[in-house]
Amino acid sequence: MKRILQFILIACLASGCVDAGIEEVNQSLLEVAPEDVPEVMPDVITISLDDDTTRVQLDASGKTVWTKDDCVSAFYMSDANNMFRFDGETGDRDGKFKIESMGSATTDIDNIVLLYPYSSSYKLNAAKSLIDVYIPSTQYYAEGSYGVGSNLMASVETDDNFTLRSLCGWIVVQLEGDATITSITLSGNNGEQLAGDAVFDYDKFNLNLVYYPENSNIYGDSNGGGSFVWGDCIESVTLDCGDGVKLNPDKPTEFYFVVPPQIFTKGINIKAECQRGKPIVKSSSKSLTVQRNHIVPMSTITAKEVIPNNQIWYTSTDGTIVEPKDGAVSGGTLVSNTYVDGMGIMTFSSDVTALNQDAFNNRDTLKSIILPNSLRSIGKWAFSYCDSLESVTIPDSVTTIGSAAFFSCSSLTSVTIGNGVTSIGYDAFYYCTSLKSVTIPDSVTSIGESAFSYCDSLTSFYGKFASEDNRCLIVDGKLIAFAPVGLTEYTIPDSVTSIGGFAFAGCSSLTSVTILDSVNSIGDYTFYYCTSLKSITIPDSVTSIGDSAFESCTSLTSVTIPDSVTSIGESAFYRCSSLTSVTIGNSVTSIGQEAFWHCTSLTSVTIPDSVTSIGEWAFYDCDSLTSVTIPDSVTRIESSTFFSCNKLTSVIIGNSVTSIGDSAFESCTSLTSVTIPDSVTSIGESA
């Protein structure tokens, strides 16, 4: 997972179904005439929303409302599928439904069946009490609700008293952080059936039981006491978020999935696609039960590299010892301190020696801290996300500043690092966007990568490891931090032998960088999201380009990879949307996964004979690429390598290729002919 997204919270772990007070859903009554059921279809029916526990859609106040153009299928005294359309506006809580089209009836039925939402494909088999239905594999985001038409509901009655009830259950995923989500995919770990063709057995509809897949062997019969019999099934559901949903930084944003009732025996997977960066992926192996008419709220965890296992106890303002909110301490240290919440000031007693991991994480009202001289260490994530913290003085007694200790303290303008500090962990001051300058004392011997990345207001570094121009921190020849303010062009000092991870990440004003011959490697994420970077010269001294090194450099137009380079890392030029040409040196042996993903302006690329492997998705969505030659040195074309290169007209496949992976050329809609050499022994699905 990209470190830029470490502050995103994803809700994907739960031990089982949580009944949130939503029992059987009695959402709406379909009112016809008070007299007996008529023998012909009425022209108008009235559907009222009397109960807010089931949602057709929610308005801003949390009330259930119909939406404009909502429709229901009505099998009314026959097997004819009749459509009734809501005759009102979005936001109405009840209203008239008018008949819009009548199906052709062939058989009378005893029961009266309603299905929401309407589908012309619904077909009723009166002899077997079955209706062909489809559970959508693509659903659509709606704020605070599930998408219109996603929640399959039914009513089966013999008289004029109708009650719509859900056929499925709901899973809610919560995301929090600084990201824009474009889609989320939910899947199980045991091949669970989540969407596709199914048959609704309305004779068994009133059995409010969990559906168990046939292959689970939990129940003997294929229905498992539920209402569905599966036909063609799909093992994942995708929530389409349209142009993107910007996450709320103050509270989790909820995303609703509608899924068939069942037990996810081996847990679930969540994959959230973002507008920038790689997907956020979380997985749980815990069993999860989803019942019909029930909602499963998912608990949230922080997506950090290490899940915290300890806390610090503290005293409240009246002196009472308070246990951490999350429960008992495991390996924690009892600390006496005072936190005056209203003033945003935190002080510590003189016997405090350590601040443990996550000690004061996310105290967004904390403005200042007074650390005692007894303190020896500041743990990982100790003050992360303290958005109001303005200044910090670290006493000379402290020897270590843990990784991400002040991560995303966005109001921090100054920090004084004591003369006893020997190590500063990676991400220690990452995303401290108000920090203006930093002085490194002589006692420091190590600084982790990305310790000062995304510090957009930095003008200078002083003290140990500072470059002559005070713009960089250089540790043992590695450039690990850069102060970007006021610069559009920069030449890397000749004392630099390697450029570390995230060193220039997010320097959005840089247009040009000159790398001297002293540099031999470019690290992971080095120029990540330098959106104004138009030109860069990679010298012959460089032998490797790290993962995501130039990812999202959206202004970069061309790049020459010298003959000295032997490998191009994963996602190295991911989303370089202005990149029109690439020259790959004759020593490159591997092109990493997603290396040129979404380089939409790339028209041509020459792959040299030195290349032996091209990673999955390497040229995905390069929709300006017109031709490509795979050299004889390559033995396999990986899955989705040229997926969605829709202007690709010509492909020459080398004579050493033995296999073509799944979806390798899928959606290459302009490709008119391909010659498969005799060496190929296998071609994947959708290739």
Side-chain angles (χ1 to χ4, degrees):
M1 181 185 299
K2 291 191 172 180
R3 214 171 284 159
I4 187 64
L5 293 172
Q6 283 177 329
F7 43 90
I8 291 184
L9 299 174
I10 181 162
C12 68
L13 300 178
S15 59
C17 176
V18 179
D19 185 351
I22 302 178
E23 299 298 336
E24 195 163 294
V25 177
N26 299 314
Q27 183 206 12
S28 55
L29 298 178
L30 174 61
E31 299 174 354
V32 289
E35 59 268 15
D36 293 337
V37 178
E39 295 182 358
V40 296
M41 179 71 71
D43 292 333
V44 177
I45 57 179
T46 300
I47 301 178
S48 299
L49 292 167
D50 297 326
D51 188 341
D52 285 327
T53 57
T54 294
R55 289 163 276 193
V56 177
Q57 275 278 280
L58 295 181
D59 63 12
S61 63
K63 297 292 185 181
T64 48
V65 294
W66 289 109
T67 60
K68 186 175 176 60
D69 295 326
D70 263 332
C71 296
V72 297
S73 287
F75 298 91
Y76 198 85
M77 306 299 291
S78 76
D79 63 358
N81 184 353
N82 306 279
M83 182 173 73
F84 280 76
R85 183 181 297 276
F86 175 51
D87 186 26
E89 297 296 326
T90 296
D92 291 348
R93 286 178 51 75
D94 51 55
K96 303 294 183 182
F97 277 66
K98 292 185 176 180
I99 192 165
E100 184 156 309
S101 65
M102 294 183 64
S104 176
T106 59
T107 305
D108 291 339
I109 60 173
D110 295 330
N111 291 326
I112 301 168
V113 182
L114 301 179
L115 284 172
Y116 170 86
Y118 170 83
S119 173
S120 61
S121 66
Y122 292 163
K123 293 181 173 58
L124 182 146
N125 183 329
K128 296 183 178 180
S129 301
L130 303 176
I131 299 178
D132 292 332
V133 295
Y134 182 81
I135 298 176
S137 59
T138 299
Q139 301 172 14
Y140 296 92
Y141 172 80
E143 184 177 0
S145 183
Y146 43 67
V148 174
S150 296
N151 192 38
L152 190 62
M153 294 186 287
S155 176
V156 181
E157 304 293 346
T158 56
D159 52 27
D160 60 354
N161 184 18
F162 299 94
T163 301
L164 281 175
R165 287 175 291 180
S166 297
L167 293 178
C168 295
W170 314 317
I171 292 177
V172 180
V173 171
Q174 294 181 328
L175 299 177
E176 183 176 285
D178 182 16
T180 298
I181 305 301
T182 56
S183 68
I184 306 176
T185 299
L186 168 73
S187 61
N189 287 322
N190 200 30
E192 284 84 0
Q193 300 163 319
L194 301 186
D197 296 324
V199 177
F200 168 44
D201 185 344
Y202 59 81
D203 269 356
K204 298 184 177 181
F205 174 54
N206 289 321
L207 296 176
N208 187 24
L209 299 175
V210 177
Y211 168 78
Y212 297 94
E214 184 177 4
N215 60 10
S216 70
N217 296 319
I218 296 177
Y219 279 12
D221 69 306
S222 60
N223 293 331
S227 303
F228 291 125
V229 179
W230 285 96
D232 294 333
C233 67
I234 298 172
E235 296 178 357
S236 65
V237 177
T238 298
L239 188 67
D240 187 333
C241 297
D243 294 333
V245 177
K246 175 69 174 175
L247 297 182
N248 188 334
D250 299 322
K251 64 178 181 179
T253 301
E254 293 186 336
F255 298 85
Y256 288 77
F257 285 90
V258 177
V259 297
Q262 60 189 283
I263 293 180
F264 291 83
T265 55
K266 296 182 180 179
I268 63 172
N269 302 302
I270 296 291
K271 181 179 181 181
E273 299 282 352
C274 306
Q275 279 188 353
R276 71 184 194 192
K278 289 184 179 179
I280 308 164
V281 179
K282 294 297 291 185
S283 181
S284 170
S285 60
K286 294 181 180 179
S287 174
L288 178 69
T289 300
V290 178
Q291 292 179 271
R292 210 180 77 202
N293 303 330
H294 285 69
I295 189 168
V296 181
M298 311 298 289
S299 60
T300 58
I301 66 164
T302 304
K304 299 176 181 175
E305 291 186 351
V306 180
I307 302 301
N309 63 358
N310 55 45
Q311 294 283 346
I312 293 179
W313 293 31
Y314 60 96
T315 57
S316 65
T317 53
D318 63 1
T320 304
I321 294 179
V322 180
E323 186 178 355
K325 179 177 62 177
D326 295 330
V329 174
S330 173
T333 303
L334 182 60
V335 173
S336 173
N337 61 69
T338 303
Y339 176 51
V340 186
D341 187 59
M343 298 174 61
I345 301 172
M346 182 176 290
T347 61
F348 297 82
S349 66
S350 60
D351 58 351
V352 175
T353 60
L355 297 181
N356 285 10
Q357 179 173 316
D358 287 292
F360 301 99
N361 172 277
N362 206 25
R363 297 287 181 87
D364 55 7
T365 59
L366 182 62
K367 291 185 177 180
S368 67
I369 53 177
I370 302 173
L371 301 174
N373 291 327
S374 59
L375 193 63
R376 298 289 182 267
S377 64
I378 300 174
K380 297 178 180 179
W381 303 90
F383 294 96
S384 56
Y385 303 103
C386 291
D387 297 337
S388 299
L389 189 61
E390 297 174 352
S391 64
V392 172
T393 297
I394 298 171
D396 293 346
S397 58
V398 172
T399 59
T400 59
I401 301 173
S403 300
F406 296 92
F407 186 102
S408 195
C409 292
S410 56
S411 298
L412 191 64
T413 58
S414 68
V415 58
T416 301
I417 301 174
N419 291 319
V421 172
T422 60
S423 66
I424 301 173
Y426 69 85
D427 289 353
F429 296 92
Y430 187 104
Y431 211 73
C432 291
T433 53
S434 299
L435 195 60
K436 300 185 184 303
S437 68
V438 176
T439 299
I440 306 296
D442 291 340
S443 57
V444 173
T445 59
S446 66
I447 302 176
E449 285 194 348
S450 63
F452 297 95
S453 295
Y454 276 89
C455 293
D456 299 340
S457 299
L458 270 177
T459 60
S460 54
F461 292 102
Y462 299 101
K464 193 173 183 181
F465 304 126
S467 59
E468 289 186 8
D469 61 2
N470 298 115
R471 286 291 184 171
C472 303
L473 288 179
I474 304 170
V475 180
D476 296 329
K478 177 184 284 189
L479 192 158
I480 63 168
F482 177 67
V485 173
L487 294 178
T488 57
E489 300 179 354
Y490 190 68
T491 299
I492 292 176
D494 57 10
S495 60
V496 173
T497 58
S498 64
I499 308 175
F502 287 92
F504 291 88
C507 294
S508 57
S509 296
L510 276 180
T511 60
S512 174
V513 174
T514 301
I515 303 174
L516 300 180
D517 289 340
S518 58
V519 174
N520 55 48
S521 66
I522 298 173
D524 297 344
Y525 301 92
T526 295
F527 296 96
Y528 176 80
Y529 226 78
C530 291
T531 53
S532 298
L533 188 63
K534 295 180 180 179
S535 65
I536 190 161
T537 301
I538 302 172
D540 291 338
S541 56
V542 172
T543 59
S544 64
I545 298 174
D547 296 347
S548 299
F550 296 93
E551 180 173 338
S552 294
C553 291
T554 53
S555 298
L556 193 63
T557 57
S558 66
V559 65
T560 297
I561 298 169
D563 291 343
S564 56
V565 172
T566 59
S567 64
I568 301 173
E570 293 184 6
S571 306
F573 297 92
Y574 184 107
R575 289 190 186 274
C576 291
S577 54
S578 297
L579 194 63
T580 59
S581 65
V582 176
T583 301
I584 300 176
N586 291 321
S587 296
V588 172
T589 60
S590 64
I591 299 174
Q593 178 177 312
E594 302 176 359
F596 296 95
W597 172 304
H598 200 68
C599 291
T600 53
S601 299
L602 189 63
T603 57
S604 64
V605 62
T606 300
I607 302 172
D609 291 338
S610 57
V611 172
T612 59
S613 66
I614 304 173
E616 294 181 351
W617 307 91
F619 294 93
Y620 171 84
D621 201 26
C622 292
D623 56 13
S624 296
L625 192 63
T626 58
S627 65
V628 68
T629 297
I630 311 293
D632 290 344
S633 54
V634 174
T635 59
R636 173 174 171 79
I637 301 174
E638 300 290 349
S639 300
S640 305
T641 301
F642 297 95
F643 189 111
S644 196
C645 293
N646 54 36
K647 291 185 181 177
L648 191 64
T649 59
S650 171
V651 174
I652 298 175
I653 300 175
N655 291 319
S656 298
V657 172
T658 59
S659 62
I660 300 174
D662 296 346
S663 303
F665 296 93
E666 183 174 341
S667 297
C668 293
T669 53
S670 299
L671 197 59
T672 56
S673 66
V674 178
T675 300
I676 309 295
D678 293 339
S679 57
V680 173
T681 59
S682 67
I683 299 177
E685 294 184 4
S686 305

